[in-house]
Amino acid sequence: MGKTVLAYSGGLDTTASIGWIKEKYGDDVITVTVDVGQQEDFKEIEERAYSAGSLKHYIIDAKEEFAKNFILMSIKANGLYEKKYPLATALARPLIVMKAVEVAKKEQASSIAHGSTGKGNDQVRFEITIKALYPQANAYSPVREWNMNREEELEYVKKKGIPIKVSKSEFSIDENLWGRSIESGRLEDPWTEPPEEAFAWTSSQKSAPDSPEYVEIEFEHGVPVALNGKREDLVSLIKNLNLIAGKHGVGRVDHLEDRVVGIKSREVYECPAASVLLAAHEDLEKMTLTKSILWFKENVGQQWSTLVYEGLWADPLRNSLEAFIDSTQAAVTGSVRLKLFKGQQSIVGRKSPNSLYRKQLSTYSSMSTFDQKQAVGFINLWGLQTLVYREVNGW
Ligand code: ARG
């Protein structure tokens, strides 16, 4: 009889997995729930794990690690997959694996299981990271192996007398500090507007406050350090911003997304803090970095986001991209001011001690120090090759 460490969310899939692993493989099951900021009752999850047959349950608070070692790099990278998705679910997976592997090594478990289906990205993220950190372990997903549908899973869990609060929700939800991912149900029709019931963190435009609210984010070397003039650690800054921006309906994303397994899927997200922080950070970079860095870094950030999305957290390319990204952040210090109103966020101001913006250069007033006469020679040289081409080939 061996041991399996199961990454346990407390939901139906992973709850049914406990009994299934014991029956099918005769393994003892050790459950690990990692707190990455999901709004859950962890006591209740623990009780459910034990009543479903877990031998030993671990609850690991990894919020700070999640913010410092995962979310922060994503902010510095302006991390959006396909320019839309702030990677909340994708970022948490490698951290959950790290914690499960720690437990597996400690408990001398030879297998690590997770609750992903065979159609998504998460199985890829979980298993590549497990194999990279603990090559001897056997990584598997019960949900992918059994052929129970939701009703049969429910029946299976009920038969075992496990108390599970089955949400009547048609949606599949994954939640952490950086955002809430919503899939399935009516959302599977990409033409259907997401119904209000899909949302939990953000107000609708209609119910959002009738007057705007301003927020000011201060960054030091690319790190958000203060909200509205008050210094806060990253976890509480993100939590507070989720509440403030969520109240104004900011951070809803409706995305037709390319999964790594080739499927196109309709994904809906709520990510108020991510939405504000990514926009503010990118804006401050525009004030403090040169055009050449900005343009090159945009590609690096997209590469980084794709790598993370596609489950290759373990790939050394990530370390190399991060070395570059980090090297650009020294000057990214300053503040950005945004206006939140009825589902919209607008950047309305920015300032920095490292600003490359010079009013005496850009101004149209008589204060200008820019020598316009030099523009004549510049234009002649700048267009030289283009003009020779047109002379030779016509228009
Ligand atoms: N499409 C997102 C991703 O792959 C979110 C997946 C969310 N999972 C869920 N069970 N709702 O990162």
Side-chain angles (χ1 to χ4, degrees), residues 74-127:
S74 200
I75 294 171
K76 291 178 181 175
N78 302 321
L80 291 173
Y81 176 64
E82 294 184 326
K83 300 190 180 163
K84 288 273 241 180
Y85 164 43
L87 296 165
T89 300
L91 280 169
R93 297 317 190 195
L95 176 57
I96 293 170
V97 169
M98 285 169 196
K99 298 301 165 195
V101 165
E102 272 170 33
V103 172
K105 287 184 174 168
K106 184 171 153 216
E107 297 282 350
Q108 297 182 325
S110 55
S111 297
I112 299 180
H114 56 91
S116 320
T117 71
K119 300 184 77 171
N121 301 311
D122 286 332
Q123 53 177 343
V124 179
R125 298 167 183 151
F126 277 122
E127 287 175 34

Side-chain angles (χ1 to χ4, degrees), residues 223-285:
V223 183
V225 293
L227 173 59
N228 294 330
K230 192 170 152 259
R231 285 187 85 88
E232 284 186 62
D233 66 86
L234 195 52
V235 172
S236 52
L237 189 147
I238 291 169
K239 276 189 183 167
N240 286 333
L241 201 51
N242 270 330
L243 294 177
I244 299 171
K247 183 178 71 193
H248 289 277
V250 165
R252 292 186 177 185
V253 177
D254 184 337
H255 189 209
L256 212 294
E257 183 168 301
D258 288 289
R259 290 192 191 160
V260 61
V261 294
I263 298 172
K264 280 194 185 288
S265 78
R266 199 280 188 88
E267 306 280 326
V268 174
Y269 303 104
E270 292 182 280
C271 43
S275 171
V276 170
L277 288 173
L278 290 170
H281 177 266
E282 191 180 33
D283 191 81
L284 187 59
E285 283 191 333

Side-chain angles (χ1 to χ4, degrees), residues 212-224:
E213 182 167 351
Y214 289 85
V215 288
E216 189 179 318
I217 318 284
E218 191 182 332
F219 292 87
E220 281 173 11
H221 315 301
V223 183

Side-chain angles (χ1 to χ4, degrees), residues 40-57:
E40 292 276 10
D41 182 340
F42 292 102
K43 196 79 207 122
E44 205 179 292
I45 290 178
E46 175 172 29
E47 283 160 16
R48 191 175 309 137
Y50 282 123
S51 73
S54 171
L55 179 70
K56 191 167 172 186
H57 181 75

Side-chain angles (χ1 to χ4, degrees), residues 295-312:
W295 291 14
F296 188 78
K297 184 175 175 291
E298 187 179 347
N299 293 319
V300 174
Q302 278 174 26
Q303 275 272 350
W304 184 89
S305 304
T306 305
L307 202 75
V308 171
Y309 183 86
E310 294 186 332
L312 296 175

Side-chain angles (χ1 to χ4, degrees), residues 8-11 14-15 18 29-34 38 40-60 162-163:
Y8 183 67
S9 67
T14 49
T15 300
I18 298 175
V29 178
I30 294 163
T31 41
V32 179
T33 303
V34 183
Q38 66 274 44
E40 292 276 10
D41 182 340
F42 292 102
K43 196 79 207 122
E44 205 179 292
I45 290 178
E46 175 172 29
E47 283 160 16
R48 191 175 309 137
Y50 282 123
S51 73
S54 171
L55 179 70
K56 191 167 172 186
H57 181 75
Y58 285 80
I59 151 86
I60 300 169
I162 302 160

